[in-house]
Amino acid sequence: MTSPAASGLPATEQLSVAIVGGSGYAGGEFLRLALSHPHLKVTQVTSERNAGMPVPLVHPNLRSLTNLKFRKLADLEAADVIVLALPHNSAAKQIETFEALGQVIIDLSADFRIKDPELYAQYYGEAHPAPQKLSEWVYGNPELHRGDLRGATRIACAGCFATSVILGLYPLLKLGTVLPKDIIATGLVGSSAAGASSSDASHHPEREGSLRVYKPVGHRHTAEAIQELPGRFPLHLTAISTPRVRGILTTIQTWLPDGYSERDVWGAYREIYAEEPFIRIVKMQKGIHRYPDPKLLDGTNFCDIGFELDVDTGRVVLMSAIDNLVKGTAGHAIQSLNIARGWDERAGLGFAGLHPA
Amino acid sequence: MTSPAASGLPATEQLSVAIVGGSGYAGGEFLRLALSHPHLKVTQVTSERNAGMPVPLVHPNLRSLTNLKFRKLADLEAADVIVLALPHNSAAKQIETFEALGQVIIDLSADFRIKDPELYAQYYGEAHPAPQKLSEWVYGNPELHRGDLRGATRIACAGCFATSVILGLYPLLKLGTVLPKDIIATGLVGSSAAGASSSDASHHPEREGSLRVYKPVGHRHTAEAIQELPGRFPLHLTAISTPRVRGILTTIQTWLPDGYSERDVWGAYREIYAEEPFIRIVKMQKGIHRYPDPKLLDGTNFCDIGFELDVDTGRVVLMSAIDNLVKGTAGHAIQSLNIARGWDERAGLGFAGLHPA
Amino acid sequence: MTSPAASGLPATEQLSVAIVGGSGYAGGEFLRLALSHPHLKVTQVTSERNAGMPVPLVHPNLRSLTNLKFRKLADLEAADVIVLALPHNSAAKQIETFEALGQVIIDLSADFRIKDPELYAQYYGEAHPAPQKLSEWVYGNPELHRGDLRGATRIACAGCFATSVILGLYPLLKLGTVLPKDIIATGLVGSSAAGASSSDASHHPEREGSLRVYKPVGHRHTAEAIQELPGRFPLHLTAISTPRVRGILTTIQTWLPDGYSERDVWGAYREIYAEEPFIRIVKMQKGIHRYPDPKLLDGTNFCDIGFELDVDTGRVVLMSAIDNLVKGTAGHAIQSLNIARGWDERAGLGFAGLHPA
Amino acid sequence: MTSPAASGLPATEQLSVAIVGGSGYAGGEFLRLALSHPHLKVTQVTSERNAGMPVPLVHPNLRSLTNLKFRKLADLEAADVIVLALPHNSAAKQIETFEALGQVIIDLSADFRIKDPELYAQYYGEAHPAPQKLSEWVYGNPELHRGDLRGATRIACAGCFATSVILGLYPLLKLGTVLPKDIIATGLVGSSAAGASSSDASHHPEREGSLRVYKPVGHRHTAEAIQELPGRFPLHLTAISTPRVRGILTTIQTWLPDGYSERDVWGAYREIYAEEPFIRIVKMQKGIHRYPDPKLLDGTNFCDIGFELDVDTGRVVLMSAIDNLVKGTAGHAIQSLNIARGWDERAGLGFAGLHPA
């Protein structure tokens, strides 16, 4: 966690990037963003299955935009930035290989998110393969860890559902604007969150139009939320599949302390997020877009947050929407890297999103 | 609420049916079901806007299946059964007109659901237009009111979101299998629930693919759930628009008392719903259809119920899926009528649903 | 091809049915229809992969509606009707096994559709395994072969895309109402047509929202259309994937002879299809449902046909919509069987379809 | 049609932009693209219905990206570029008003596309309101009119369906690679093409999942295609609604001359489109993205073109995919303006599109 200067890289720089595991959705999204990033030049993308094939064969949106071909991991060469988009528990087992090849390492998997090896083991079902490394990594949530990210060379990007929960709750828990009693977070998730490999559950005739709870209890991202949110209050996650491809809408059921009003909720978000370039409070009196909707966020790095108070009961429903592959994965990775290198935090993340879409 | 014999109608009968407000989705669905019902013969369908037009112009699925034309309400004649599919607060204001024309009246609106005029006023924002009539009506939920429905001549059909909540919770609250502490019900609802009239919010480019909270707090169906469920515990409803046309998936977050296990939840559902023809407990160890999914229920009268326990916290996530227009509206209306007349409770409700769909 | 009497089965009968290959979509749909058919009793369903498992594990719409378990093909016992829902080129190779076990055999695959072994070899890329059997089979299109189907014991059900093309064109070619010059048929097809096995192409994130030509030229159903349609005129098929799960909408571009008008097109359809229970001409002057739409046909056995003339050029656009799994597969199988046994042709096929859906 | 120099504007310039009719989808899309364009600064957006309201109330994707408020047309002030996004036949009637306020005028409607007033009257059903102005306007198709666009100050942007047809056919007709016999173009179109106003046909429950022919014959864009394509051969258009929001996939059925092969089709596209920045030939031997798919193009200015030959008949199926609101409307408007001003032709149009999406 050194400054750009200390790391020996100039402030106005262009860094070479290697994406490891680039045929999946997370790696492909990082590639898309990196290709139009002013300070990044992608030089390598690995895929064991597609080695030798042109990248656009797998990511057809990149036709005419890149001449890169996939290579095998065994052929990986040095790069300024190495982005790991591997299945969970894969990066940590071979982390020293990557440390030898790159100065900055960004991991999009869950391997280095959880600082407490016991919490990791509880949620991931096995001992962490490299617990001695955990303290080197910064949790890649720019809003909570901007300071830690400056100059960071190890960035463990946050989980997508966790990001929607954490960004929705953090200001209110930080400032005591909601009670730390049982909090219920219900995440509606698109099919891309399950990755690029086909399965019976992802077969279009089975999944299209489906509203299906897939993780009612025990979601692994609970561990991240517990770690990142102030106070060890009881947080409960339920995840539901929806017909969308991208996007998460999370509703979070919370409770206002006595004497508090909606104004305090407004105030908490404003206080904590006033300067945030990618957080928008969405709460309109009228119109069809009164509250956050992931439909408007495809391809963008925004997290839209809304809320509503039930004055009779003190219940406050928070709503948090993101694109799981951008603000939930590759976008906050880019944003974190921008912070780490001292670049414009918005670099490469300018897409506004489409309306209608 | 007299028996078929007392009402002067034979046990094996065919009744004439008039559907008032038959160009909407609720009326159209009742019509579809009634057209293939062995004991019903639809003789009149009213629509002010479409008077004189063939019914299939509005309900194109009924092409070649009916020669009926819409007529004006002013031209309504007597019928054995009058089905009211009018906007809320419209049937109650002219209920005496309908009482004069038909012996059995089924109301698909909210007008006669709430027995307590004060509760009605609280949720519907105005005084009930005919409070003296409220006690004549049976709440049209067959699972809770089968006894009351036998011989009934006034059936106030339940709300769709309310039905999914009530059917999911009733056995557990009745038997004390879950704690009556704050219960959060989150309903994911298809676009047909908002009715047949187009609006900016229902414009396809705006609604398609949308995940949008439309009623975070204060949902009117809360009143029905409070009335019907045992114990006046705190129940909180949040309703979210989804890209589906039909269907509701409701997750209900509850808490198990000390010493209880999943076996008790199984037991409660079995005890209360063992003989129910339209309730299925869906909870599989494996496969992609482990939990309820409204995608499988389009056109059917089933309510599929599932659940899962978080053993670490005692949280039990209930899941309840229905077709909002069938089990949520016209289907339970038919089922209630079947009970009222002493017919086979499944008559006219045999459609299995499609897979895939 | 003997009459029911000659076949030794009574006119009012109930036949036992065995479905071979019942875990796919075609077999599952036949099962759904057969379960509510007054003259059929399904006694066996085979699936190598799911042998021993309850049928609803694979077809969750049938929960509570059947207690059948899958068995292996090796355990198949005799049945009155054997329905073959196997991959193409599988039934023909072992047809003698099935002949020994059942009196009536219905094949849902392409194996016995093409009467000319050379045409078969041209489109299916290999010699037919049992060419000597081909003449025993009736092509299962009720509208064209009702006479042949009476008493038939070998029914080779038509292809789904072929059915939409043939039913749209047959009256006009039969009566010379359109010119036999190049005819272009463009089929928009749902994802269920590719079957129940998942693949990269059917992975939800890749397929959802897709409009993708998958067979621009050389579609195998061309062979059926050539065989069944009068005159060996040039017919050209293009098939496109759509975001739907079920359904086919086929537009067919044809040309009116000099001196003909729309009235002649109306006349041709009326003359040939006047008594058809499952064909509807859909051509309205106004409204949003002016032309056929497969959205309205899910689960039904209807084929909706429309058309429009370009008076400046004589071009006539025919439109033909079906549910590929019902009127395109299992529904016309049931309809053919109803005809073969002398039952009510509509038996088991009464579902009206949903609106909205 | 003068050069930037002659028009008095510097080569490296920033122009002010006023969007007239900016609450619709075409105007909103131009606004989105202009906000991130290096040479454009949007200073005014008009909307009669939303005058006084913040622009993001209507275009929620632009939240935090613009502080503009809608104003009434009566309050329109001078701007370097005036973009007209009005209903058809509205701009032409008041064109002198706009000529007085801006130097460069871009019309997104059909008003100035057709050069022949008789052809206009034939397809638009009334006499053109300003026929004497027609010769001043350049048809806004960059691939066909790049030369004319340089320095142009009146740009009549092409129709979306017309664009997909013209770009698919132009090289082949120009070079005689296909026969000029009857050509059938079938366009599959998303719901946004019908605009931002809700209607019964666009009501989500009616439109979602629909495959519905909406213009089998007589589509107005036929006039543009006839005007722009070489040779007055017979071209026939059929337009079909699909469940998508954005996007057009057009298949075009053509015929190869004797002695020609697929190589000639490749050659024609290469010869004419070799240097085109926004046209990609998509024709792969394998993979799921072998042919163009509008799903991959949302938000991009690409036109993807593919083809396949039926060697037995000489039929060539062309496929052309675009985003109707970008390459079909606002994107080619920006591209045309880039050419007109001598800017980088790709300026403001760099979005790659999403995968998956």
Side-chain angles (χ1 to χ4, degrees), chain C residues 152-163:
Chain C
T153 57
R154 299 286 180 277
I155 301 172
C157 291
C160 54
F161 186 16
T163 295

Side-chain angles (χ1 to χ4, degrees), chain A residues 180-246:
Chain A
K181 59 185 260 197
D182 285 307
I183 293 181
I184 303 287
T186 303
L188 310 183
V189 184
S191 59
S192 64
S197 296
S198 61
S199 70
D200 285 355
S202 79
H203 188 46
H204 184 271
E206 304 296 340
R207 175 64 188 255
E208 167 54 18
S210 181
L211 293 173
R212 202 150 59 197
V213 178
Y214 71 89
K215 200 69 186 168
V217 303
H219 197 289
R220 288 173 164 181
H221 288 190
T222 311
E224 294 174 49
I226 289 172
Q227 170 179 290
E228 296 296 320
L229 288 169
R232 289 245 166 177
F233 59 89
L235 175 66
H236 309 278
L237 270 56
T238 293
I240 306 178
S241 294
T242 72
R244 289 190 57 77
V245 171
R246 289 185 178 227

